[in-house]
Amino acid sequence: MSRSEVLRATGPTASASMDVKIGMKKDGTITAGQIFFRMQGGAFPGMSPIGEALPCAFACYDIPALKHEAVEVIANRPKAAAYRAPGSPMAAFAVESMVDEMCRELKLDPIEVRLKNGAKNGSKSSYGPIYTMIGLQETLEAAKAHPNYAIPLGPNQGRGVASGFWFNHGGETSVSLAVGEDGTATVMIGTPDIGGSRASIGLMVAETLGIPYEDVRVNVVETGALGVNEPTHGSRATFASGKAAVEAARQAIAEMCRRAAADWGIDADAVEWKDGAAHPAGPNAGKHPPMTIGEIGAKMGSTGGPISGHHEVTAGGYGASFGTHVVDVEVDPETGRTTVIRYLVVQDAGTAIHPAYVEGQYQGGAAQGIGWALNEEYVYGTDGRLQNPVFLDYRIPVASDLPMIDTVIIEVPNPGHPYGVRGVGETGITPPLPAIAAAIAGATGARIRSLPCTPPKVLAAIKALRG
Amino acid sequence: MRYHTPTSFTDAAAIAARATGTLRFLAGGTDVLVQMRAGMVQPDDLIDLKHIPGVDKIEQTPDGGWKIGIAVPGIVLGGHAALVRDWPGVVEGMNLVGSTQVQGRATLAGNLCNGSPAADSVPGLIAAGAMVTVTGPSGSRDIPVEAVPAGPGKTNLAKGEVISSITLPPRGKNGGDAYLRFIPRTEMDIAVVGCAVSLRLDGDKIVEARVALGAVAPTVLLSEACAKAIIGTTLDDAALAALTKAAEGAAKPISDKRGTKEFRIEVAGVLARRAAKIAYDRAKGLTK
Ligand SMILES: Cc1cc2nc3c(=O)[nH]c(=O)nc-3n(C[C@H](O)[C@H](O)[C@H](O)COP(=O)(O)OP(=O)(O)OC[C@H]3O[C@@H](n4cnc5c(N)ncnc54)[C@H](O)[C@@H]3O)c2cc1C
């Protein structure tokens, strides 16, 4: 497909409009929340992410009384497609903008208000389940303590804060692992790598097998080579394929322990695996020198045949990832043009297996959210046709539009994963929309209630305020 | 498609005059090749002008002006210290075009003849009072840059005519120029509004001025009213207010996907004010 066909035909996210009502006491205590969302995803029912938007809306809060309502609107528009944390950014734009507006009105610190009302371990989530182990409070504390939050603002500058949420996902997952004759391991996964998941899975397998990362190779294989795999969606790849890969590695380890046990003439139970080798489990197992994965691999043909592991599961145990962003903008009061001058992402990764890739997801989410907040927009003509199906006019941020995006990785391990992994891919696109609108409100006094915050819109809002 | 490589403008004009189908000249090709790749235009005759001797030269004229070859790319203009000293506004307009890669090819003549009302180098050329030499089947004539564009994608050049050089007048003493454009991002956008101001001072007072506005009408506009608003002033607040009003009045934009009419009118005033201040400071020698 050409770029223009991609923009016209592969589906934007849904269009949405939201009403929010929040009850807040003067001390910042939130007493109740109510939303009514409308989402349009094209000509067919069920194409908009209304089902995700509602549970995401108040997911960051512990509020005693909530009401969620929504309708889906059907229209002759291109069908919507899943777009990073489907539904969550719109929900956050509505709720977090409202919270920010109330904080400004009551002169309360937006982080303090979120700390006060934010979801904690043991809170009943807005969508039902009890949160057992989450890291929202930690992200808020880290944002509060970060130097960016204390930097004095200049003229026409404003600071915005918002939190965001994504459930994350497990899903149908099938992974195989083969031990090589040279003691290396090859892992076959079915989730395409869109941001570093192979490296992270390789690290987890290496850790489990007790061998160097360089000795593990992770391949994304074709559909029929494994059991059914859901695609890389829902921020599930490193979590679910990683979890299954660890299980597959444990299977291979069990088999390698059996081979060593047979060689040593002891019970398999009397063998333990550590540092890439089988060891006798204790003094009763007898004195045998460790047998490495390389030694076991080299003679596997004559000790029972190929050694592999395989795990398939509809993965449960995924844990939500919460994030808090702090952004500083400068608005040109004469043109309404917004420049992002400082940006901070704080997000809970569970465990950051590969911190640089985690950081990449945080920065990518922020950049994509900044585009949505400031300039990205599908412009339809009166004939209903898309007028800007090229990157010249569908204005995603270019590198020079963005400051260095600072990151803080919070690690509140997810108990549902052997190494504590949560997904990190989607949460990051959620806070930028309300955070930037809040920062613009700080810089200009004008509250932008629809996205993107284009220069004409911001300028008109500034002028309306001046009267 | 017939691809021609004439070695003189007379030959180029003759080939162009004979052509019966779709014709394009090839300078840097950053418009024409992109349009061909996109299927927007399929020329029957494509006349490459880069084989003509001298088209890559920048020369000082005897009176102290500058004669610029039609194939001189933006990056060469930007690297020419003496030209930048004389006409920083003209050069900064051209240097806003595209990226470093595009700068290696894109030319003033191509930017002008592509006929976009948003062309970034054209307001600067018009404000500077630049002339182009047009060579046709029956000889050459010199016309001001503002006489070239006829509307989006159209020029007033007659069949068989080609621009053979661009001439900037002598800058002389106490002059300064500037170009500003408004885009929502920092790069890779088409001007929503552009404005160039060139002026000359006598002491603190503006004695000559030309103001051109881009992307607010079917062609780049030369606004007499804007010039009048600041001539005879020291660019004080009253003059800036008058200039703002004049620019808003001169702007006749449409609303489209790149910006609304109201926004363009307002920003025309803002840019005129800001460009005038820069040009003024340059004329005073306060900034480069
Ligand atoms: C990625 C990208 C970014 C861009 N960004 C900008 C931007 O920011 N601002 C902007 O203004 N433009 C921009 N452009 C457009 C383009 O680069 C400029 O208009 C450039 O100056 C065209 O010059 P050229 O020499 O490449 O023209 P060409 O493509 O060679 O020619 C353009 C047109 O002029 C005619 N022509 C050329 N020379 C002559 C001549 N001597 N006599 C008569 N007719 C002639 C041709 O027939 C053709 O119709 C961009 C283009 C690209 C690809």
Side-chain angles (χ1 to χ4, degrees), chain A residues 236-271:
Chain A
R236 76 181 208 92
T238 300
F239 167 78
S241 287
K243 187 170 179 173
V246 169
E247 287 305 323
R250 286 176 178 165
Q251 265 182 31
I253 287 170
E255 181 57 23
M256 290 188 285
C257 288
R258 278 193 286 277
R259 302 284 169 101
D263 193 76
W264 294 333
I266 61 174
D267 241 25
D269 288 352
V271 178

Side-chain angles (χ1 to χ4, degrees), chain A residues 130-382:
Chain A
I130 308 283
Y131 292 127
T132 48
M133 189 66 88
I134 57 168
L136 174 64
Q137 297 282 327
E138 286 80 350
T139 69
L140 289 163
E141 291 290 0
K144 192 169 100 177
H146 194 277
N148 282 18
Y149 200 56
I151 295 175
L153 294 169
N156 302 314
Q157 297 181 353
R159 178 166 294 151
V161 173
S163 294
F165 161 88
W166 185 243
F167 312 92
N168 294 328
H169 182 53
E172 292 156 39
T173 309
S174 173
V175 169
S176 289
L177 175 148
V179 174
E181 291 149 293
D182 57 356
T184 63
T186 303
V187 187
M188 278 73 61
I189 58 169
T191 41
D193 184 350
I194 60 169
S197 52
R198 274 175 308 169
S200 302
I201 291 164
L203 284 164
M204 289 186 273
V205 167
E207 181 82 11
T208 308
L209 291 174
I211 61 175
Y213 170 68
E214 291 71 19
D215 287 355
V216 180
R217 185 186 178 91
V218 183
N219 291 330
V220 178
V221 298
E222 57 153 313
T223 310
L226 293 165
V228 167
N229 268 289
E230 283 180 35
T232 299
H233 64 179
S235 297
R236 76 181 208 92
T238 300
F239 167 78
S241 287
K243 187 170 179 173
V246 169
E247 287 305 323
R250 286 176 178 165
Q251 265 182 31
I253 287 170
E255 181 57 23
M256 290 188 285
C257 288
R258 278 193 286 277
R259 302 284 169 101
D263 193 76
W264 294 333
I266 61 174
D267 241 25
D269 288 352
V271 178
E272 66 176 10
W273 189 266
K274 60 174 196 250
D275 301 331
H279 298 255
N284 295 343
K287 279 208 174 312
H288 304 284
M291 192 181 287
T292 65
I293 184 171
E295 289 162 347
I296 297 169
K299 55 187 181 191
M300 64 184 161
S302 59
T303 61
I307 299 172
S308 64
H310 181 83
H311 190 72
E312 45 204 8
V313 66
T314 297
Y318 53 88
S321 179
F322 290 85
T324 298
H325 293 198
V326 180
V327 56
D328 292 352
V329 304
E330 183 167 325
V331 179
D332 182 336
E334 293 184 326
T335 65
R337 190 175 179 285
T338 300
T339 305
V340 178
I341 53 175
R342 216 168 279 121
Y343 204 101
L344 170 67
V345 179
V346 187
Q347 191 183 323
D348 176 18
T351 302
I353 300 297
H354 191 299
Y357 276 134
V358 169
E359 194 176 33
Q361 289 297 314
Y362 290 4
Q363 292 170 326
Q368 206 173 352
I370 290 169
W372 192 340
L374 290 181
N375 286 306
E376 283 180 48
E377 176 172 32
Y378 280 72
V379 181
Y380 291 98
T382 46

Side-chain angles (χ1 to χ4, degrees), chain B residues 55-132:
Chain B
V55 293
D56 57 347
K57 297 242 159 24
I58 302 174
E59 289 163 13
Q60 185 117 44
T61 57
D63 63 356
W66 294 97
K67 187 174 165 214
I68 300 170
I70 54 88
V72 174
I75 205 155
V76 172
L77 292 173
H80 195 292
L83 179 70
V84 173
R85 203 178 314 118
D86 276 4
W87 294 105
V90 172
V91 177
E92 73 195 349
M94 189 60 211
N95 285 167
L96 282 173
V97 169
S99 55
T100 304
Q101 293 91 325
V102 170
Q103 281 289 307
R105 301 300 277 180
T107 67
L108 291 167
N111 197 221
L112 174 62
C113 295
N114 185 55
S116 164
D120 278 310
S121 74
V122 176
L125 287 171
I126 292 177
M131 303 287 287
V132 292

Side-chain angles (χ1 to χ4, degrees), chain B residues 9 23-35 49 70 94 96-99 102 105-114 118-121 157 161-164 181 188-190:
Chain B
F9 281 106
L23 168 87
R24 287 293 183 278
F25 294 105
L26 183 64
T30 62
D31 277 314
V32 88
L33 295 182
V34 174
Q35 288 158 9
L49 302 172
I70 54 88
M94 189 60 211
L96 282 173
V97 169
S99 55
V102 170
R105 301 300 277 180
T107 67
L108 291 167
N111 197 221
L112 174 62
C113 295
N114 185 55
D120 278 310
S121 74
L157 300 181
E161 285 189 328
V162 56
I163 293 180
S164 47
R181 73 170 175 189
M188 285 302 168
D189 264 328
I190 292 182

